[in-house]
Amino acid sequence: QQPVQSPQAVILREGEDAVINCSSSKALYSVHWYRQKHGEAPVFLMILLKGGEQKGHDKISASFNEKKQQSSLYLTASQLSYSGTYFCGTEVGFQKLVFGTGTRLLVSP
Amino acid sequence: NAGVTQTPKFQVLKTGQSMTLQCAQDMNHNSMYWYRQDPGMGLRLIYYSASEGTTDKGEVPNGYNVSRLNKREFSLRLESATPSQTSVYFCASSESLEQDEQYFGPGTRLTVT
């Protein structure tokens, strides 16, 4: 039931764009995105709900394709502060949030 | 507002020892969670509490017990620690159980030798 994230890791130069994908084998109720910097706690970025409602970050966007059971996180004009590990979490039906194994993003100057 | 606090920050135990990890939140949230994070495994849910007075098992509950002491506090107990419980433990809280952002504490790094 754990969602699959891709890529596992990505390296960018400052100002470049990146897309992180999250897919599930089951129909999704919602998708959550969190970012964790090294040695710190995960921090909420956004939630995408079935039906199209989106709650969260104003500088990072995401999409949720319910039919394909997939979500993508779009990081545009990346900044050094975007570095960290990004986790998607999926809610299947009314089950609790299950997190993917993460995508490590490094933004270099 | 301290958010979610956890104690201790670090702990080393010998196999067979017991300990309790403490978690408290000051956001008046109804739901609280305990996760463990191992390299390459992401965050895995150990136990959760939908509201004061209720607790339920998550994905990996074996070897752990929890207590929702009141609305603010949710503790995790290891009765007889094993090296496989070496991990970073995060407590989190949210307003409601579903479709709601979770706020995480700073974590407890536990090593069992």
Side-chain angles (χ1 to χ4, degrees):
Chain A
Q1 285 190 11
Q2 189 174 36
V4 177
Q5 288 186 235
S6 63
Q8 288 187 314
V10 60
I11 300 174
L12 297 175
R13 289 198 182 272
E14 209 172 357
E16 292 181 337
D17 301 338
V19 180
I20 299 172
N21 301 302
C22 175
S23 64
S24 172
S25 59
K26 300 202 172 190
L28 299 176
Y29 193 56
S30 69
V31 179
H32 301 220
W33 286 97
Y34 287 78
R35 177 171 61 207
Q36 184 179 30
K37 293 186 181 286
H38 183 69
E40 298 181 8
V43 173
F44 170 78
L45 293 176
M46 61 173 50
I47 294 176
L48 300 111
L49 306 178
K50 197 172 176 179
E53 187 183 350
Q54 180 174 312
K55 300 192 281 186
H57 212 279
D58 59 357
K59 293 189 178 180
I60 294 174
S61 63
S63 63
F64 180 18
N65 187 324
E66 294 170 35
K67 283 188 179 178
K68 290 187 177 180
Q69 297 153 199
Q70 292 176 345
S71 176
S72 295
L73 187 72
Y74 304 98
L75 305 164
T76 56
S78 59
Q79 306 168 16
L80 295 176
S81 62
Y82 285 10
S83 292
T85 301
Y86 290 77
F87 292 97
C88 71
T90 53
E91 286 182 296
V92 177
F94 288 94
Q95 293 177 17
K96 300 305 143 279
L97 200 60
V98 179
F99 286 93
T101 55
T103 295
R104 296 179 69 176
L105 176 72
L106 176 63
V107 181
S108 60
Chain B
N1 249 2
V4 179
T5 56
Q6 291 182 235
T7 55
K9 284 189 166 47
F10 301 94
Q11 184 71 47
V12 179
L13 290 179
K14 293 189 184 216
T15 297
Q17 288 184 320
S18 61
M19 78 161 296
T20 300
L21 280 64
Q22 306 286 354
C23 173
Q25 52 91 10
D26 63 1
M27 296 173 281
N28 202 37
H29 283 169
N30 292 304
S31 302
M32 297 185 74
Y33 315 81
W34 276 105
Y35 292 92
R36 60 177 288 172
Q37 186 173 37
D38 303 297
M41 301 286 289
L43 293 148
R44 292 184 292 170
L45 184 64
I46 304 171
Y47 271 92
Y48 67 95
S49 170
S51 60
E52 187 179 356
T54 69
T55 61
D56 280 292
K57 296 178 180 179
E59 298 170 68
V60 289
N62 290 346
Y64 305 95
N65 283 301
V66 290
S67 295
R68 183 77 183 264
L69 304 167
N70 47 55
K71 192 170 185 180
R72 289 187 64 247
E73 298 172 289
F74 190 37
S75 63
L76 178 72
R77 182 158 179 85
L78 286 71
E79 289 292 349
S80 179
T82 66
S84 65
Q85 293 178 308
T86 293
S87 188
V88 180
Y89 291 85
F90 287 101
C91 176
S93 71
S94 62
E95 176 79 30
S96 63
L97 194 59
E98 289 146 8
Q99 299 186 332
D100 213 343
E101 62 183 283
Q102 294 185 16
Y103 293 80
F104 283 80
T108 294
R109 188 173 293 273
L110 175 68
T111 301
V112 183
T113 61

